[in-house]
Amino acid sequence: MTIADLRCDGCGRPLAGLAADDHTDDEASGVRFVYHPGWAKLRDDSGLLCGRCWDGTVVWMGMEATLGPAACPRCGEPAGDEPRLHVSRLHELATWQLCRRDAVAFLNRLQTVEPKLDPETFSLPAPPPENDSG
């Protein structure tokens, strides 16, 4: 878990602490991020990237994060019924919604994802029915 050892989950660089909410220009400070398959109960909020790696990830994901259903920012695949990997900076509501293929590419970029995911067999879990209170 990167937040425990304060290392960048992208390049592995040791980090001095957490970046201010709106600044990523200090490469020694970490940016916390979260991802989940559209269902917050399954979120992983332990991600930590240095400012340089976070900025590079934002460029890699493309476009701006959104609040509603959106096409995959990487490939333009329309939002449909398939689950998406929602990625955002911790405590931000807008997310990048990656399709299955680009979700695998994002996750495999992270040092803490071991073993690396197989793009042919990976699938995102579907959210539970809306009437599921658990």
Side-chain angles (χ1 to χ4, degrees):
M1 180 161 100
T2 57
I3 196 66
D5 67 11
L6 288 179
R7 289 190 175 275
C8 175
D9 201 10
C11 67
R13 156 188 322 189
L15 299 169
L18 298 176
D21 286 343
D22 56 352
H23 297 359
T24 59
D25 54 348
D26 179 6
E27 290 183 11
S29 295
V31 175
R32 286 193 61 194
F33 65 95
V34 60
Y35 56 89
H36 60 80
W39 187 32
K41 285 186 177 185
L42 297 179
R43 79 182 195 157
D44 182 332
D45 62 2
S46 64
L48 187 64
L49 292 171
C50 68
R52 183 176 62 190
C53 286
W54 174 254
D55 291 344
T57 298
V58 168
V59 169
W60 179 85
M61 288 189 290
M63 302 188 327
E64 290 193 25
T66 62
L67 289 173
C72 176
R74 291 275 307 152
C75 68
E77 180 180 296
D81 294 337
E82 295 295 315
R84 296 294 181 108
L85 186 69
H86 294 245
V87 180
S88 67
R89 194 167 175 158
L90 189 67
H91 302 305
E92 289 187 3
L93 295 176
T95 65
W96 288 270
Q97 298 169 34
L98 301 172
C99 68
R100 183 191 63 78
R101 186 186 77 222
D102 289 318
V104 170
F106 168 79
L107 293 169
N108 281 343
R109 291 167 60 112
L110 303 177
Q111 291 193 1
T112 53
V113 174
E114 284 296 335
K116 297 303 181 193
L117 304 168
D118 180 354
E120 299 301 318
T121 60
F122 177 79
S123 65
L124 289 161
E130 288 186 29
N131 61 359
D132 182 2
S133 61

